[in-house]
Amino acid sequence: MNEAAAVDQYGVVGHPVAHSWSPFIHGMFAKSTAQNVAYRLFDVPPEHFRRDILQLFADGIRGLNVTLPHKQAAAELVNDLTPRAARAQAVNTIAFFEDTALLGDNTDGAGLTADLERNLNLELADLRVLVLGAGGAVRGVLGPLLERELGQLTIANRTADKALRLAAEFADMGRVSGCGFGELSGPAYDLVINATSAGLHGEMPLLPAGIVGATTQCYDMSYGRGDTPFTRWAKSHNAARASKGWGMLVEQAAESFLLWRGIRPNTRAVLDALAEHA
Ligand SMILES: NC(=O)c1ccc[n+]([C@@H]2O[C@H](COP(=O)([O-])OP(=O)(O)OC[C@H]3O[C@@H](n4cnc5c(N)ncnc54)[C@H](OP(=O)(O)O)[C@@H]3O)[C@@H](O)[C@H]2O)c1
């Protein structure tokens, strides 16, 4: 048999996507679980998303991760959605199955809560939580966060309307409200999660100081070497802790791998390997 043909193909589609660590992470998962898979990067601009993704699956790719700015477009493209992806109306994982054709899932929320609870030992129940941003990533994490019986969840976004609409969409799950950054005020939140993409451009949303205090846990979904603009800001406001999104990245990837291969890889070795780059 042709050995190359026996390798199942996967990848991540985004724009931009060159910075992605997903090939490294899935490479380690494949090795540790002895799965014969290959994982590549696909930079696809929004105007070609539908055409290029359908072509990749027609060419035999078994699954894709989907990153910004395509998560909502992916939810519209697939044939079927898992319940959590249907709730989010955003997809970060597509799997090809014979019976469902293209199945869309969203593992961002499971990835974030696994990192907060298991890796960072946070108990989420009753916390006052502020989420910054209202894009595809936020859509994915709102459901799993609200399932934790938070004390309160506020969504704040540069475009306030989007935050208000998201809050209304998830109001059946708990106490959730939306606003613009300028309407935020103290007392300090227990947990502030940055889910804006401002950091990708070295920027930091303009935020009132009173929202962060000495007991506030700050979490940036962005990741990179050294401080991000958000973790730098959090530290300058004496937050109790400022974490980056490496753990979420690894845990959401493990959930995708589980959907594709039926096995959830142990994430510890990958977390340790990435810590050397962080
Ligand atoms: N660690 C992980 O596993 C993980 C998983 C998912 C996402 N992420 C990260 O989370 C971030 C958001 O991803 P996404 O998929 O939600 O992106 P997205 O759908 O493109 O949404 C981007 C969000 O960022 C806001 N924004 C962009 N530039 C801004 C600026 N200069 N100032 C203030 N707000 C700004 C946008 O506000 P408007 O609505 O006003 O445009 C929007 O709310 C990215 O950095 C991504 O890498 C990490």
Side-chain angles (χ1 to χ4, degrees):
M1 195 183 11
N2 176 352
E3 200 168 302
V7 180
D8 288 337
Q9 304 284 332
Y10 295 88
V12 55
V13 55
H15 185 67
V17 77
H19 66 283
S20 174
W21 282 86
S22 294
F24 174 81
I25 295 168
H26 282 281
M28 280 192 76
F29 287 167
K31 213 168 180 182
S32 69
T33 57
Q35 297 284 302
N36 199 11
V37 304
Y39 191 101
R40 293 156 57 200
L41 298 175
F42 299 99
D43 192 327
V44 176
E47 62 273 23
H48 294 151
F49 180 74
R50 187 177 182 83
R51 183 197 72 184
D52 288 8
I53 294 332
L54 291 176
Q55 189 60 52
L56 283 170
F57 281 103
D59 291 345
I61 203 159
R62 307 292 303 177
L64 285 174
N65 283 131
V66 181
T67 187
L68 88 173
H70 300 309
K71 290 181 181 178
Q72 284 166 267
E76 287 164 20
L77 174 103
V78 294
N79 306 101
D80 209 353
L81 294 167
T82 61
R84 59 190 178 182
R87 179 79 242 200
Q89 286 300 305
V91 157
N92 81 333
T93 309
I94 305 177
F96 176 81
F97 293 117
E98 305 298 339
D99 51 348
T100 54
L102 298 186
L103 175 68
D105 193 10
N106 195 311
T107 66
D108 279 338
L112 174 67
T113 51
D115 195 32
L116 293 174
E117 294 173 335
R118 275 190 243 148
N119 302 331
L120 299 172
N121 293 314
L122 265 185
E123 171 61 61
L124 292 169
D126 297 326
L127 295 192
R128 286 180 65 245
V129 178
L130 170 62
V131 173
L132 305 169
V138 174
R139 286 193 156 275
V141 303
L142 287 180
L145 282 175
L146 287 163
E147 281 168 6
R148 265 62 185 181
E149 309 282 344
L150 305 177
Q152 183 196 333
L153 177 59
T154 306
I155 307 164
N157 194 44
R158 177 175 64 180
T159 311
D161 262 9
K162 274 170 72 179
L164 287 162
R165 268 184 273 133
L166 260 188
E169 211 175 306
F170 285 83
D172 60 308
M173 290 190 70
R175 294 182 58 197
V176 51
S177 60
C179 64
F181 296 138
E183 295 149 63
L184 289 170
S185 62
Y189 285 85
D190 299 312
L191 171 64
V192 179
I193 299 169
N194 177 37
T196 74
S197 55
L200 288 180
H201 317 288
E203 292 167 11
M204 169 67 204
L206 201 59
L207 300 172
I211 60 173
V212 167
T215 58
T216 306
Q217 305 276 334
C218 287
Y219 188 95
D220 196 347
M221 283 193 195
S222 301
Y223 43 85
R225 206 180 273 275
D227 273 321
T228 64
F230 178 73
T231 59
R232 198 173 303 117
W233 177 86
K235 286 176 185 174
S236 75
H237 287 83
N238 301 315
R241 182 161 55 174
S243 311
K244 292 183 290 181
W246 289 106
M248 174 180 175
L249 181 71
V250 174
E251 300 295 345
Q252 62 81 30
E255 291 285 322
S256 298
F257 197 90
L258 171 63
L259 178 75
W260 292 330
R261 310 300 298 181
I263 177 169
R264 195 184 197 282
N266 189 321
T267 52
R268 191 68 262 161
V270 185
L271 290 168
D272 289 345
L274 287 175
E276 287 173 27
H277 298 275

